Amino acid sequence: MNYGISEITMALGINKPGKISDYTITTLLTDSRKLSDPTGTLFFALSTKTNDGHKYVNDLYIEGVRNFVVSSKHSSWSKLSDANFLVVKDPLMALQKIAAFHRRKFDIPVIGITGSNGKTIVKEWLYQLLHKDYNITRSPRSYNSQTGVPLSVWQLDDLTTLGIFEAGISMTDEMEHLESIIHPTIGIFTKLGEAHQENFASLQQKCNEKLELFINSEVIIYNEDNPILTQCIENMAMSHKTFTWSFKNRENPLFIKSIKSTHDKSIIHYSFLGFDTSFEIPFVDGASIENAITCLATMLYLRILPEDLKERMLLLEPVAMRLDVREGKNNCILINDTYNSDFNSIKIALEFQSQRRIDKPLKKTLILSDIFQSGLLPKTLYKKVSEIIEQNQVDKIIGIGRDISQFKDFFSMEKNFFTTTDEFIDSQVWKDFRNELILVKGSRRFHFERIVTLLEKRIHETVLEVNLDALVHNFNFYKSKISPNVKLISMVKANGYGAGATEIAKTLQYHRCGYLAVAIASEGVALREDGITMPIIVLNSEINGFEELYSSNLEPEVYNFRILKAFIKEAERSGVTDYPIHIKLDTGMHRLGFVSDEIPEMIEILQNQKSLRVVSTFSHLAASESWIFDDFTAKQMETFEELSLQIESKLNYNINRHILNSAGIERFPNQQFDMVRLGIGLYGISASGIKGLQNVCTLKTTILQIKTLNSSESVGYGRKEVLEHQARIATIRIGYADGLSRQFGNRKGKVFINGAYAPIIGNVCMDLCMIDVTDIKAEEGDSVIIFGEDLPVIDLANSINTIPYEILTAVSPRVKRIYIKE
């Protein structure tokens, strides 16, 4: 549905909006980077702990946006005479108010889903199960926040006959806002657990808060076996409108009698109102079984016949919770999203593809299958698909499937169409892909994983998974701890601490990081070649490297007279003026930098030249993570402030200052100066032990072989390990050439497999090592975690008396990096 700007103004309760130009609003926007339809966009300038949307109004105006919801008008907007500025107290509340206004236009069933776990799976499975009966609008992926919910509900249109939206909260008093937006007629409470518990006094309090979503619902569907949830529903006087199921209570209208699982499926026997029957799902884990039962209860409430239900449950597909980025052949990059291809997820995947491209000249290619369960006529569907692809500037499409091939004329870009995956593979056109950013997006039944296998550059089965969502969380975590005017410098040296500098830098650039820092010029040059345009500091610049720095617009650290004089000479010879440099001061670390006695001479040299301009002065703290050395740290900071102010006053222009590293940001909020440097904390490791970071890197491999060896047998080179009893020994595909230190051998290190820890035995070999799985349920081919969420890097480092930095940066280039994005 579309609304005139005057209608929006009335919905927001703005009585005297001033002069309003007439525009039709089709899109609500909170993230300026996701602009697609400027003339129909209403931008909400949200202010958060880490950003302020008002900063992007001018840029959006240049892009064609003319409608803005703001909390105040800035003087710099005075020339934007044809723009509408709707001034409100809180743009977030205004966004929610508009979404609630839109929701009231629809008299249809709407399912609201909350709970600690399983919300997205239940939502997506209900979509799979009910799409034949309803034209469904649902939350994209996990859009369940204070901003995600209104953007989801805004998608309701005249064709919608059922809405399915999830709602998540992380603190008190949030759900009442989401209730007015979703206003569900049917409520589903999936599971009550400890997730996001930190801002609630108890599970009961969190449960009560979540139940606020169902204040006006006709029914609440949940598992009555949870005593806290059941008691909270009773306390809130909601018991009269429940539809429950149970594993324990035979008197319950929906009683789960038994569950029988094999290696690849589960059969669930149940009794509903005295009628006994069963259904089968292609899943065996407990979470999937509970989620399927929740879907069963919902479908029964919606009067779907048990026989129809049984057929549909058989066809349930896994829900793709994440995209991953892989290195392809012939200088291609692959974005793998091969589980589903519904319309909502296509838009999200295309946005992600645009983020990855940056300015590198890679052709954007989309491999797309037929789209199922859309609720639209094929002609309408593929017309909409062609439009969204065109908006995202895709250069080439490969369409696979009978339906999409039938409407190939809708697509105006370079194209090839095939009716089956086999036909595409047999055509060999995939061998011609060169310098392309390829998004592989398909329904599971098309088995596009076969295409990914053909296109992927095969390196090694041992992989380092890098969670980009966790990286962004950590970035914002530290950003929330610094003042709004303080710039954040992110360290991507040593190949992004082993995680892969280019993909890390692309993510940080998209999230508007202020600066990057690398160790040597070649690292910065590589980032420039990959399309990174943000400022980059080179920390260990070399005396003969000015031309390389200058040609790639890299900003060097200058730490002694030799390099200072050499750079001045080279800059003058090249006719360069005011080239940015960063002066390093030695305040006690005693590694690199000018000491206090050298400052007067350094200032004099800088005053008598015009080729270089000091952008920042900075220093390194020697022990910011340690309370024991706080007096020394305080002395360093005092020295730094004295020297940096001396330099700025003598040079007579503003110079940024920075001394805090990750631990410093955590512990010394009053010493942020103008910039801070984020290193190991970005990758999920706190040197000072602060809570709230997320694991970014997971190193994993597989079991190649398992043997049962008798007592007195030896294992590995040098016969260092002699067994004292019969044991099951597994050989795994990782060794010191992959970055696993030999120090981990002979039971000093361990790995995590199938929920248990297994010691590394014998010497670590170049490409392999051995582990003891005697008391562990393990099979050949099973996945093995070297480090990650269940086995933190810091624990590995402690076991061999080293630091997490060494463990992370040791991961070999031959280990494939896979980048994960929800």
Side-chain angles (χ1 to χ4, degrees):
M1 292 176 68
N2 303 331
Y3 295 96
I5 193 66
S6 57
E7 201 172 357
I8 294 287
T9 302
M10 289 176 61
L12 290 176
I14 301 175
N15 296 322
K16 297 180 180 180
K19 183 182 176 182
I20 292 290
S21 301
D22 189 26
Y23 288 96
T24 299
I25 301 302
T26 60
T27 304
L28 306 185
L29 182 69
T30 60
D31 186 339
S32 62
R33 298 163 298 187
K34 296 181 178 180
L35 178 65
S36 61
D37 175 24
T39 56
T41 290
L42 178 62
F43 177 69
F44 292 79
L46 305 184
S47 296
T48 67
K49 290 181 180 179
T50 59
N51 212 344
D52 184 356
H54 295 82
K55 294 191 300 186
Y56 308 109
V57 167
N58 283 313
D59 290 341
L60 286 167
Y61 181 87
I62 293 170
E63 293 290 329
V65 178
R66 293 295 180 267
N67 298 285
F68 304 89
V69 177
V70 298
S71 59
S72 61
K73 289 186 72 172
H74 294 196
S75 58
S76 62
W77 304 341
S78 59
K79 295 181 180 179
L80 313 183
S81 57
D82 59 336
N84 293 321
F85 291 100
L86 307 184
V87 182
V88 298
K89 185 177 180 180
D90 183 348
L92 175 59
M93 295 296 290
L95 171 69
Q96 295 174 343
K97 198 170 184 178
I98 289 295
F101 165 77
H102 180 64
R103 165 68 181 91
R104 294 310 188 273
K105 301 287 185 182
F106 299 90
D107 185 17
I108 59 172
V110 171
I111 299 174
I113 307 174
T114 193
S116 301
N117 310 100
K119 296 184 292 293
T120 301
I121 301 294
V122 168
K123 178 198 68 188
E124 293 299 322
W125 278 0
L126 284 175
Y127 177 77
Q128 293 180 29
L129 293 164
L130 294 171
H131 75 276
K132 291 182 179 179
D133 307 286
Y134 299 93
N135 192 345
I136 300 172
T137 296
R138 72 196 194 282
S139 311
R141 293 191 183 265
S142 53
Y143 275 37
N144 58 27
S145 67
Q146 296 292 303
T147 55
V149 168
L151 294 177
S152 299
V153 171
W154 179 257
Q155 303 305 314
L156 290 168
D157 59 27
D158 290 336
L159 297 175
T160 305
T161 58
L162 174 67
I164 309 178
F165 304 106
E166 55 178 292
I169 57 172
S170 57
M171 59 183 64
T172 58
D173 301 324
E174 287 187 331
M175 192 61 88
E176 62 180 302
H177 301 299
L178 301 186
E179 191 282 330
S180 67
I181 301 166
I182 299 174
H183 199 61
T185 58
I186 300 169
I188 296 176
F189 201 121
T190 55
K191 198 176 184 70
L192 181 65
E194 296 291 340
H196 305 295
Q197 183 62 39
E198 58 271 17
N199 294 320
F200 298 96
S202 64
L203 272 177
Q204 287 86 347
Q205 184 192 35
K206 182 169 69 175
C207 184
N208 288 335
E209 289 285 340
K210 287 180 176 290
L211 285 170
E212 289 287 337
L213 181 62
F214 309 134
I215 282 290
N216 296 301
S217 297
E218 297 168 5
V219 65
I220 307 170
I221 297 168
Y222 72 100
N223 176 4
E224 75 162 27
D225 295 341
N226 187 309
I228 295 177
L229 177 55
T230 300
Q231 186 61 52
C232 287
I233 286 175
E234 187 173 324
N235 292 345
M236 294 182 70
M238 293 181 172
S239 302
H240 65 286
K241 57 177 184 179
T242 60
F243 185 106
T244 61
W245 59 272
S246 175
F247 290 116
K248 302 175 182 178
N249 182 8
R250 292 181 174 274
E251 301 303 315
N252 194 290
L254 178 54
F255 172 59
I256 309 305
K257 300 179 71 173
S258 67
I259 298 169
K260 296 179 181 178
S261 298
T262 62
H263 72 287
D264 62 352
K265 64 182 180 182
S266 298
I267 300 173
I268 300 166
H269 293 267
Y270 68 95
S271 173
F272 178 58
L273 298 176
F275 176 74
D276 290 351
T277 186
S278 65
F279 66 94
E280 181 182 312
I281 58 171
F283 302 93
V284 297
D285 61 288
S288 292
I289 290 169
E290 286 203 30
N291 290 334
I293 294 170
T294 298
C295 291
L296 164 72
T298 307
M299 293 175 73
L300 290 172
Y301 178 78
L302 291 171
R303 301 185 180 182
I304 304 298
L305 295 174
E307 287 307 310
D308 290 341
L309 190 152
K310 183 181 294 189
E311 290 180 13
R312 299 180 195 185
M313 287 287 192
L314 273 172
L315 301 176
L316 281 179
E317 294 184 353
V319 176
M321 298 296 286
R322 61 189 194 178
L323 305 156
D324 66 64
V325 181
R326 309 177 183 209
E327 186 177 1
K329 297 173 183 174
N330 304 321
N331 196 35
C332 290
I333 297 173
L334 303 180
I335 301 175
N336 177 32
D337 192 10
T338 56
Y339 285 94
N340 63 64
S341 63
D342 65 89
F343 187 70
N344 277 342
S345 67
I346 289 171
K347 290 193 287 186
I348 293 170
L350 286 170
E351 285 175 0
F352 184 70
Q353 184 185 39
S354 295
Q355 295 172 30
R356 294 299 98 186
R357 186 182 190 181
I358 314 282
D359 293 326
K360 190 173 181 180
L362 292 178
K363 178 186 285 188
K364 285 172 70 175
T365 298
L366 171 63
I367 301 177
L368 181 66
S369 76
D370 279 348
I371 299 169
F372 302 110
Q373 308 171 354
S374 73
L376 299 174
L377 292 173
K379 185 176 181 179
T380 304
L381 169 65
Y382 291 107
K383 183 65 176 173
K384 291 181 72 172
V385 170
S386 68
E387 290 168 355
I388 194 70
I389 290 173
E390 207 159 302
Q391 284 176 5
N392 283 274
Q393 299 178 330
V394 172
D395 300 301
K396 179 170 71 176
I397 182 170
I398 306 291
I400 299 177
R402 296 188 183 279
D403 290 349
I404 196 171
S405 297
Q406 184 180 349
F407 298 99
K408 60 185 177 184
D409 291 341
F410 287 163
F411 301 89
S412 58
M413 64 288 297
E414 183 183 344
K415 57 192 174 185
N416 290 103
F417 286 83
F418 306 89
T419 56
T420 66
T421 302
D422 284 334
E423 185 182 331
F424 166 72
I425 292 172
D426 293 342
S427 74
Q428 305 288 299
V429 299
W430 50 273
K431 290 186 175 180
D432 297 327
F433 292 161
R434 297 281 189 285
N435 303 309
E436 299 180 39
L437 179 59
I438 305 168
L439 171 59
V440 186
K441 182 82 177 137
S443 174
R444 190 173 181 81
R445 68 188 72 179
F446 280 86
H447 297 286
F448 273 13
E449 65 273 10
R450 296 166 59 202
I451 296 175
V452 172
T453 299
L454 290 172
L455 300 179
E456 186 178 9
K457 186 175 182 180
R458 305 302 292 178
I459 303 174
H460 195 12
E461 279 196 25
T462 298
V463 300
L464 183 71
E465 285 190 356
V466 181
N467 187 327
L468 297 178
D469 290 319
L471 183 97
V472 172
H473 167 87
N474 297 338
F475 173 76
N476 287 327
F477 177 85
Y478 283 98
K479 202 172 174 185
S480 70
K481 292 185 173 299
I482 62 177
S483 299
N485 59 335
V486 174
K487 289 184 179 179
L488 199 151
I489 306 168
S490 292
M491 298 291 154
V492 293
K493 61 181 181 175
N495 194 26
Y497 286 48
T502 295
E503 289 300 326
I504 299 299
K506 285 179 180 178
T507 301
L508 293 170
Q509 181 163 289
Y510 180 74
H511 288 276
R512 298 189 174 100
C513 178
Y515 256 88
L516 298 178
V518 296
I520 55 178
S522 59
E523 292 178 331
V525 171
L527 291 177
R528 290 286 185 244
E529 290 174 349
D530 285 331
I532 302 302
T533 57
M534 61 194 297
I536 300 175
I537 301 172
V538 178
L539 296 173
N540 305 327
S541 46
E542 298 170 5
I543 194 164
N544 296 317
F546 183 78
E547 178 56 37
E548 187 176 34
L549 295 166
Y550 177 68
S551 62
S552 294
N553 193 24
L554 304 173
E555 303 178 14
E557 167 192 313
V558 174
Y559 46 84
N560 64 17
F561 289 115
R562 181 167 172 258
I563 200 164
L564 175 61
K565 291 174 181 177
F567 280 5
I568 291 172
K569 181 178 179 181
E570 285 299 311
E572 289 176 344
R573 189 175 63 82
S574 302
V576 176
T577 58
D578 285 342
Y579 195 81
I581 63 169
H582 301 262
I583 296 292
K584 178 70 171 294
L585 304 176
D586 183 358
T587 58
M589 175 88 163
H590 299 322
R591 188 171 63 180
L592 294 176
F594 292 95
V595 296
S596 57
D597 292 345
E598 296 173 322
I599 300 304
E601 183 182 351
M602 183 260 287
I603 290 173
E604 185 178 357
I605 292 172
L606 288 169
Q607 286 174 325
N608 291 311
Q609 58 83 47
K610 295 183 179 179
S611 299
L612 307 181
R613 184 179 180 87
V614 180
V615 174
S616 80
T617 54
F618 72 106
S619 188
H620 265 82
L621 296 175
S624 59
E625 73 282 357
S626 175
W627 282 258
I628 298 172
F629 298 111
D630 277 359
D631 289 343
F632 183 83
T633 299
K635 181 61 178 174
Q636 276 196 272
M637 291 175 177
E638 182 183 328
T639 302
F640 172 69
E641 183 153 23
E642 177 187 329
L643 297 180
S644 60
L645 287 175
Q646 182 183 347
I647 295 167
E648 185 173 51
S649 64
K650 295 293 184 182
L651 294 183
N652 201 29
Y653 56 78
N654 291 331
I655 298 174
N656 292 315
R657 297 181 292 164
H658 49 105
I659 193 170
L660 297 186
N661 54 7
S662 296
I665 299 170
E666 296 167 12
R667 299 195 57 230
F668 302 105
N670 295 325
Q671 300 294 330
Q672 293 174 2
F673 294 103
D674 306 294
M675 308 171 90
V676 295
R677 301 187 303 274
L678 178 58
I680 194 73
L682 180 64
Y683 303 93
I685 298 164
S686 169
S688 73
I690 196 170
K691 303 298 182 184
L693 299 179
Q694 293 183 4
N695 178 69
V696 172
C697 296
T698 301
L699 181 60
K700 57 172 61 175
T701 189
T702 55
I703 295 177
L704 289 174
Q705 188 176 22
I706 297 178
K707 295 178 179 178
T708 299
L709 301 179
N710 293 324
S711 175
S712 301
E713 295 276 7
S714 63
V715 178
Y717 285 123
R719 303 196 71 207
K720 295 291 185 181
E721 176 88 18
V722 178
L723 298 175
E724 297 179 355
H725 53 76
Q726 188 182 72
R728 291 178 76 229
I729 305 302
T731 300
I732 60 176
R733 195 193 294 269
I734 190 170
Y736 57 77
D738 302 298
L740 184 69
S741 172
R742 291 187 81 245
Q743 293 184 65
F744 286 119
N746 303 304
R747 300 185 183 270
K748 287 185 179 178
K750 61 186 177 183
V751 299
F752 189 76
I753 176 170
N754 295 338
Y757 296 103
I760 298 172
I761 63 171
N763 283 329
V764 174
C765 309
M766 180 181 288
D767 311 300
L768 307 166
C769 68
M770 286 68 73
I771 59 175
D772 187 344
V773 295
T774 302
D775 299 316
I776 299 172
K777 185 179 179 181
E779 306 291 340
E780 292 178 359
D782 281 357
S783 180
V784 179
I785 304 298
I786 309 302
F787 61 71
E789 186 71 37
D790 297 303
L791 186 50
V793 170
I794 199 163
D795 291 351
L796 260 68
N798 290 338
S799 69
I800 59 170
N801 267 336
T802 188
I803 54 177
Y805 301 77
E806 184 177 349
I807 304 294
L808 288 173
T809 58
V811 179
S812 165
R814 80 177 188 180
V815 173
K816 178 170 59 180
R817 272 73 172 170
I818 295 178
Y819 299 92
I820 306 301
K821 174 79 172 70
E822 185 176 298

